[in-house]
Amino acid sequence: MRVALLAMGILAAGCTELPISGGAPAVGQAPIGAQQALFTEYPARLFNAAAAFCDQPGQTVIQPNQNEVRCESLPDPESAAAIILGYNGTVEDLPSFVIAFLGGASAQGYVVTADSYIRVPQRNGGVQQLRFEDAKVAEDLSDILASAGGRPL
């Protein structure tokens, strides 16, 4: 999946101000554009592969715990400038394209939410997440979860 797909979505982005981490969404409570799947057990292979995938220049793996991995990619300078200017961002902490996998146990099994958004640090210290609905990105996220053994929800 290419980060460039995420950049195209900025034109149709919806905005939310949310914490970056805080646990996986409950079944059926995924944010706009995110996909969920149910696993019979903890999908270590999925989390390991997500971290290994994030190895290009300008990409950073963030894995605060075993149930969460994010790949943050810096946009090109022109896109970064447009995002900063258009969404009250700051040059001290640049925006990034994010692909995240969040997991947690549920009564049905282990639920993983695959998510993508643009993270925009704000001048006031908060963080805005630009979200959008993109059928191709949703399909790609769903395919990743299914290929790791998850049953789409």
Side-chain angles (χ1 to χ4, degrees):
M1 175 172 14
R2 300 278 180 218
V3 174
L5 288 173
L6 298 178
M8 292 187 300
I10 195 167
L11 297 174
C15 302
T16 58
E17 199 155 325
L18 297 170
I20 295 301
S21 184
V27 173
Q29 300 298 312
I32 293 171
Q35 300 295 306
Q36 291 185 310
L38 183 64
F39 292 79
T40 56
E41 59 186 26
Y42 177 79
R45 192 178 81 186
L46 172 65
F47 287 105
N48 292 335
F53 169 78
C54 190
D55 66 351
Q56 299 300 308
Q59 292 183 326
T60 303
V61 174
I62 299 169
Q63 194 163 11
N65 58 61
Q66 72 172 6
N67 298 312
E68 179 178 2
V69 64
R70 295 189 311 268
C71 179
E72 296 193 2
S73 305
L74 294 173
D76 63 77
E78 294 81 17
S79 296
I83 293 166
I84 290 168
L85 291 172
Y87 295 96
N88 200 30
T90 176
V91 295
E92 283 80 29
D93 192 1
L94 296 175
S96 58
F97 299 119
V98 179
I99 298 173
F101 295 89
L102 302 163
S106 75
Q108 299 92 354
Y110 191 88
V111 177
V112 175
T113 302
D115 197 4
S116 64
Y117 52 90
I118 301 170
R119 179 182 170 276
V120 185
Q122 301 292 282
R123 292 179 189 159
N124 67 6
V127 174
Q128 189 175 58
Q129 294 179 354
L130 305 179
R131 298 185 171 281
F132 52 91
E133 291 188 68
D134 182 299
K136 177 64 175 142
V137 172
E139 181 182 339
D140 288 347
L141 292 175
S142 186
D143 288 349
I144 290 168
L145 293 172
S147 68
R151 182 176 52 85
L153 296 175

